[in-house]
Amino acid sequence: MSLLSYAIIYHTYKHPITRILRAVFIIFILFLIGSEFYRGNLPKGPLFIFSLFVMSEVLFKFKVMRTTPKISVAQNNGKDIEESCTFQALDIFMFAHDSVGMVHELIKKAHVQFIMQKANIGKEDVPKVVVSKEEIAKKAYELVKDLNGSFITRMDLFVAYLVLIEPETKYLFNKHLKPDDLLYILYWARYEYPFEEYPQKMQVVFWGTGIGEDWTTGWTLETKKYITDVTYKVLDEKPALVGRRKEYEQLVATLSKPSHNNALLIGEAGSGKTSLVDAVALNSFLGLIPGKLYHKHVYQLMVGLLVAGVKDIGELEARIEAILEELEHAGNIILYIPDVEHILGSTTFNLDLSGVLSNFLKDSHLPLIATVTPGAFRKFVEARSGFREFFEEIRIDEPTEEEAIQMLLEKANEIGEKNHVTITFKAVIAVVQMAKRYLQDRSLPGSAVSLLTSVANNISLAHKSVVDEDDVIAKVEQQTRIAISKPGEQEKELLLHLEDKLHERIIGQEEAVSAIAQAIRRLRSGLTSQNRPISFLFLGPTGVGKTETAKALASVYFGGEDKTIRLDMSEYNGPGAVDRLLGSSPGLGDEKGELTEKVYENPFSLILLDEFEKASTEVLDLFLQILEDGRLTDNHGKRVSFANTIIIATSNAGALYIQNELLAGKQINTVFQQGLLMELEQEHIFKPELINRFDGIIVFKPLTAQNVEQIAKLFLNEMQKKLQAQDVTVSFGDDVIKAAASAGFDQQFGARPLRRFIQDKIEDLLSQGMLRGNVERGSSIRLVVDGSGNIAIAS
């Protein structure tokens, strides 16, 4: 029978008139049967007719309703698209008068309503546009192909209609959706309603091997002191495997081998290693994995319990040998060792059991799963060839953002149901994007799953019912202390006038201030790279405002100079400099990195690298990686993201070139900067690839006499404000400003001695006056220049 015939049967069977006739027939035939029994007769005829009716219902339920197309979309060349439609889709496609009639029928279906809910589409909102049914079928065919689906369903027809009418109606655009977003929602709907494509089949599942399963296998009395039964945990949670089908099949194949059936899962935290183990534990216990893995228990070795109370390594080795022998004798166990580096010499437990484990694995048939991060693999596993040979290595790579969105869509409803909330599509997209950019200490999809779970829990506790994009943003801002949401009116005003705010502290240096302000505006407008930090190299003589510019930016925009991570790079020029920045190497202590730990704790901050040229080559190469990749892994295996920092490196390199060129009347322009960079390269101060990684090379000019006077006035105003807080009023004229500028400026050190001059000559003078009682609370004093040219208090 052709699929079209099944579609006709389905259409007829589901027609309202047919339903009424079936109901009337059931009532009538049951009335006849009841009447005959009431009269004491055996109603053979009515019973026979009723039996035929029941058989037809069963035939419809288990034959017609479970019929699938014979040709998948992948096998279809696109000429006979109807051959790859489910008969339910074919029913609507064939019997609807036009596209408007199709949509009228489609929006009644639960799976189509799911799409509408996630896309924020109301029943009355759907535009009524006449589109060729053939065009809809063709577009649906393309959508299913893009999603690697098998057959065209009613959901695909609905989404195809919306995509086709978009150029004319701009309906999705007005909903702040793109066609790609609708494709993700279609993927979500297909995952939540799989039986629309593949009708549900009857399946008998046995939990374990039966009532006496513990009597049919060896006992593990000693082992149970040091393990957790993963199987019983997953039976309570029933977790769904999020993506990772290829890796799951590879893991099952490895564990099913007759020998060397051990798997080493290599992936970052959050990549899905634990989910794979949970999936094996659940499916094995339910009997869904045939062969050697049928009805197995997964036991997780708890290293902390294992080492508790042992007196020496000999006792520990004897303990683990006994455990391994007991597990193999049991015959129904898969051993799971998470973070296997803990027993291979990592600083967490400081023990190495690789020899004991290797000796056991030589002749063992006990399936074993171990996990390790790539960093720990390189440090503790890679060089142990004798240990590695017993394992099949399975790499769990971080998925792309598109793959992670699909994975999270598969998990979203489970998280929503547990927390009794509805999760919007926009929330899912925001979670993946935020997790990828702002929670880089863990990999996708785990970081996204954790974030969505946390947000859903918060919304549930707040007695709300819907998780949306704003809830995700608020949670990430709270967790990371990073400004993520769109700028408010006050912040917009600050961004638009950032140059003015910076110039309240920075005198001159217009090019530097302008470049910094433009970078911050790009950052908050979302126009910068999401993976790399904004970075600048400040070049110029000493004391011209390079460091002060960075501090001013931290104060004005980041909320205070305490948001600055400041490193004197001249201190990172000897042996061990890299370890100081990244933390102590494995086996040499547990000191945290002076750079990585600070950035990990303050991801939204300004990193100021003073005297950058004085760092060792190895340290400069480290920053080359930071500027390129936006992340580092410290010596303890922790990933640290620099994507939300601003890095400013200051250097006196090329100062003489700058001064000579400016004295010769040259202007600071592209030609000037190219000459300066060539000078730096010829002097082998910085590698060209390092210089090219900076977003901007900013040249600071030597200060003019006018600049120095403005800086002197700025410092004097700061002193004035401090005294005002003590109710002491201080005034001064231009003569004091000129005198301070003249005495405090040094051609070699720029304006640096100026602040010291004001402290030593003016603030000290005032402090003496306070101690003598000449300057009291409520006093008004005036600073003047006396006949000797010294600054004094007017009498």
Side-chain angles (χ1 to χ4, degrees), residues 247 250 264-266 374 377 382 388 393-397:
E247 292 87 350
Q250 190 177 354
L264 181 62
L265 306 181
I266 306 169
F377 174 82
E382 195 167 39
R388 285 179 65 186
E393 294 172 4
I394 302 174
R395 297 275 175 175
I396 317 295
D397 296 324

Side-chain angles (χ1 to χ4, degrees), residues 199-369:
Q200 187 175 10
K201 295 181 179 179
M202 295 284 288
Q203 185 177 21
V204 179
V205 175
F206 294 99
W207 283 44
T209 55
I211 295 175
E213 66 173 317
D214 287 341
W215 300 346
T216 63
T217 57
W219 291 358
T220 53
L221 300 178
E222 178 67 17
T223 300
K224 287 186 177 178
K225 299 176 185 176
Y226 314 111
I227 61 94
T228 293
D229 193 330
V230 175
T231 299
Y232 285 141
K233 181 197 77 170
V234 298
L235 287 175
D236 285 338
E237 299 174 357
K238 298 183 181 63
L241 180 63
V242 179
R244 302 298 187 196
R245 295 304 308 177
K246 178 183 174 183
E247 292 87 350
Y248 172 78
E249 291 168 3
Q250 190 177 354
L251 177 59
V252 169
T254 299
L255 298 174
S256 300
K257 292 195 299 186
S259 62
H260 285 66
N261 51 343
N262 311 305
L264 181 62
L265 306 181
I266 306 169
E268 297 287 0
S271 60
K273 302 187 297 293
T274 304
S275 298
L276 286 171
V277 177
D278 289 348
V280 168
L282 180 62
N283 293 336
S284 174
F285 187 77
L286 296 180
L288 299 178
I289 307 177
K292 290 188 64 179
L293 301 184
Y294 190 69
H295 292 313
K296 297 277 188 180
H297 277 261
V298 175
Y299 281 2
Q300 176 180 336
L301 182 66
M302 309 298 289
V303 180
L305 296 176
L306 180 69
V307 301
V310 295
K311 298 175 183 176
D312 52 46
I313 189 66
E315 183 181 346
L316 181 61
E317 289 179 352
R319 180 178 288 183
I320 196 167
E321 284 174 357
I323 291 170
L324 293 171
E325 289 173 5
E326 194 173 73
L327 289 176
E328 184 165 35
H329 175 68
N332 70 329
I333 304 298
I334 299 171
L335 180 60
Y336 168 42
I337 307 178
D339 303 317
V340 72
E341 68 270 17
H342 291 332
I343 61 171
L344 298 179
S346 77
T347 56
T348 307
F349 293 99
N350 286 312
L351 58 94
D352 186 355
L353 299 175
S354 58
V356 177
L357 202 54
S358 296
N359 289 334
F360 173 79
L361 294 176
K362 285 179 184 176
D363 304 310
S364 171
H365 299 285
L366 172 71
L368 188 151
I369 306 172

Side-chain angles (χ1 to χ4, degrees), residues 10 61 64-69 85-89 111 150-156 186-203:
Y10 176 80
K61 177 74 174 176
V64 175
M65 291 295 290
R66 294 186 180 180
T67 301
T68 57
C85 292
T86 63
F87 68 83
Q88 295 97 330
H111 35 76
S150 297
F151 310 119
I152 298 170
T153 68
R154 291 173 287 189
M155 298 179 287
D156 305 315
L186 175 58
Y187 176 90
W188 195 358
R190 283 174 142 265
Y191 177 81
E192 293 297 328
Y193 294 90
F195 304 129
E196 176 71 6
E197 186 172 34
Y198 286 102
Q200 187 175 10
K201 295 181 179 179
M202 295 284 288
Q203 185 177 21

Side-chain angles (χ1 to χ4, degrees), residues 437-554:
R437 179 165 187 181
Y438 300 107
L439 307 178
Q440 292 191 16
D441 55 325
R442 296 191 70 203
S443 288
L444 293 172
S447 57
V449 171
S450 297
L451 176 58
L452 184 57
T453 302
S454 179
V455 174
N457 182 56
N458 286 354
I459 295 303
S460 177
L461 292 175
H463 304 292
K464 299 178 184 177
S465 59
V466 179
V467 176
D468 60 23
E469 182 181 15
D470 291 339
D471 300 315
V472 177
I473 293 173
K475 178 64 179 178
V476 175
E477 286 186 330
Q478 174 196 355
Q479 193 168 326
T480 64
R481 303 180 297 281
I482 298 173
I484 299 169
S485 57
K486 293 180 180 179
E489 290 303 318
Q490 186 175 354
E491 186 182 359
K492 286 179 182 177
E493 193 67 20
L494 172 61
L495 288 167
L496 291 171
H497 299 92
L498 190 54
E499 287 92 341
D500 296 336
K501 295 295 292 183
L502 291 173
H503 273 306
E504 290 177 6
R505 288 184 55 172
I506 306 302
I507 303 302
Q509 313 301 355
E510 282 76 13
E511 295 88 350
V513 170
S514 178
I516 288 287
Q518 290 170 13
I520 295 294
R521 283 194 285 268
R522 290 197 304 272
L523 173 67
R524 290 299 285 127
S525 301
L527 298 178
T528 59
S529 168
Q530 295 191 353
N531 301 318
R532 296 173 53 246
I534 293 175
S535 58
F536 293 100
L537 177 60
F538 286 179
L539 297 174
T542 298
V544 295
K546 301 188 297 296
T547 300
E548 187 64 22
T549 300
K551 291 165 67 176
L553 176 63

Side-chain angles (χ1 to χ4, degrees), residues 72-108:
S72 69
V73 167
Q75 298 167 329
N76 197 316
N77 59 12
K79 294 180 180 179
D80 297 308
I81 295 175
E82 293 83 358
E83 293 295 321
S84 297
C85 292
T86 63
F87 68 83
Q88 295 97 330
L90 200 57
D91 163 42
I92 289 183
F93 185 77
M94 298 298 294
F95 292 100
H97 178 68
D98 56 18
S99 59
V100 175
M102 282 179 59
V103 171
H104 178 74
E105 290 300 318
L106 286 170
I107 61 177
K108 298 177 183 178

Side-chain angles (χ1 to χ4, degrees), residues 768-780:
Q768 290 183 33
M770 288 179 177
L771 293 172
R772 293 192 181 104
N774 300 330
V775 178
E776 298 178 334
R777 184 168 176 264
S779 299
S780 294

